[in-house]
Amino acid sequence: MTQISIAIDGPASSGKSTVAKILAKEFNYIYTDTGAMYRAITYLAIKHHVAFTDEEGLVKLIHHYPLSFVQKPEGQHVLVADQDVTEEIRQPNVTQAVSEVSAHQKVREALVSIQRKIGENGGVVMDGRDIGTAVLPNAEVKIFLVASVTERAQRRYKENIEKGIPTVLETLTQEIQARDHYDSIRKVSPLKQAEDAIRIDTTGKSISEVVQSIKEVIKEKGYLL
């Protein structure tokens, strides 16, 4: 079977990670959550008191604390060095700061280098905000997922409540709107749809419906996985 690269981009809570995990499992591909990588560096910055504006300091964290993913029965876990930070990187303090950290050019260059190495041989499903435009510009399949701010806020609110993370829906909605704006206007690798990406609106759609839509795109492009 052809080992292709599948790039899935979109704003926060548009469903990227959920569908990417499902596709990777079904195709027996490597799944790479690039957003988790930026969250991990943000978490390290908070833990080690490195200012979010300290670009050089943030890059040093990347070099000193290797990032890795481990697949467990309950899903993929994120490690920095030997520490499992899967839950820590989803806390509100990390979520509120990750856009500022990920806007630094040298931070993105360091992590994009790692991401490209993961995807260079195909057989990967990678999700983020600049996968189709900057990380894997030659990916055979590019998907850009969108959804209304209201629905995305409700999704994240439900996830947080299930994880026991205190959350106010109105505040979360405002944070998502602010992050959309910040991610879209940043100078380095802004959130935008690649010219050859297929746009899929997930508003009102179930996860299975979105996954099926992506599979249809893959088949239409002539790839049978």
Side-chain angles (χ1 to χ4, degrees):
M1 292 189 295
T2 302
Q3 295 283 295
I4 67 172
S5 295
I6 302 172
I8 302 180
D9 289 308
S13 297
S14 55
K16 306 184 298 297
S17 296
T18 303
V19 299
K21 291 175 185 176
I22 293 172
L23 290 168
K25 185 176 182 179
E26 288 192 18
F27 300 155
N28 195 28
Y29 273 19
I30 296 170
Y31 165 61
T32 306
D33 180 356
T34 63
M37 298 172 78
Y38 289 100
R39 284 176 172 272
I41 299 306
T42 304
Y43 163 76
L44 287 171
I46 294 171
K47 180 179 179 180
H48 296 284
H49 307 289
V50 175
F52 303 141
T53 55
D54 182 359
E55 185 173 26
E56 297 295 339
L58 294 170
V59 172
K60 287 181 180 178
L61 291 175
I62 297 174
H63 295 313
H64 290 172
Y65 298 91
L67 300 174
S68 60
F69 298 102
V70 175
Q71 195 64 37
K72 295 188 177 183
E74 67 274 18
Q76 183 171 262
H77 284 232
V78 183
L79 279 66
V80 289
D82 294 324
Q83 181 187 359
D84 189 325
V85 297
T86 306
E87 295 299 325
E88 286 84 349
I89 65 173
R90 299 295 171 183
Q91 297 303 311
N93 61 338
V94 173
T95 298
Q96 292 164 11
V98 67
S99 286
E100 183 176 357
V101 170
S102 63
H104 291 294
Q105 182 173 349
K106 291 182 179 179
V107 170
R108 299 200 74 85
E109 288 175 351
L111 291 183
V112 166
S113 177
I114 296 172
Q115 294 157 9
R116 284 177 176 162
K117 288 180 181 178
I118 294 173
E120 63 185 2
N121 295 318
V124 64
V125 182
M126 193 174 293
D127 73 87
R129 283 169 173 71
D130 63 346
I131 310 305
T133 55
V135 181
L136 301 176
N138 296 318
E140 289 84 353
V141 175
K142 298 179 184 180
I143 304 295
F144 194 83
L145 298 183
V146 297
S148 68
V149 172
T150 298
E151 179 152 336
R152 287 189 285 132
Q154 290 173 339
R155 290 174 184 172
R156 183 58 60 85
Y157 176 79
K158 182 179 179 181
E159 291 174 1
N160 287 355
I161 294 301
E162 290 176 348
K163 294 177 181 178
I165 301 175
T167 307
V168 177
L169 181 58
E170 183 178 354
T171 301
L172 186 58
T173 302
Q174 294 172 350
E175 290 175 352
I176 287 178
Q177 288 177 320
R179 189 171 179 189
D180 284 352
H181 178 69
Y182 194 96
D183 289 345
S184 297
I185 66 169
R186 70 187 181 208
K187 294 181 179 180
V188 183
S189 297
L191 168 65
K192 66 178 182 179
Q193 181 177 336
E195 292 183 2
D196 54 346
I198 304 300
R199 186 183 186 92
I200 298 176
D201 192 335
T202 68
T203 305
K205 291 184 177 181
S206 67
I207 293 299
S208 60
E209 288 175 329
V210 177
V211 170
Q212 185 56 40
S213 294
I214 296 175
K215 286 182 177 180
E216 290 173 1
V217 171
I218 294 171
K219 290 180 180 179
E220 289 173 1
K221 288 182 173 291
Y223 300 105
L224 299 177
L225 303 178

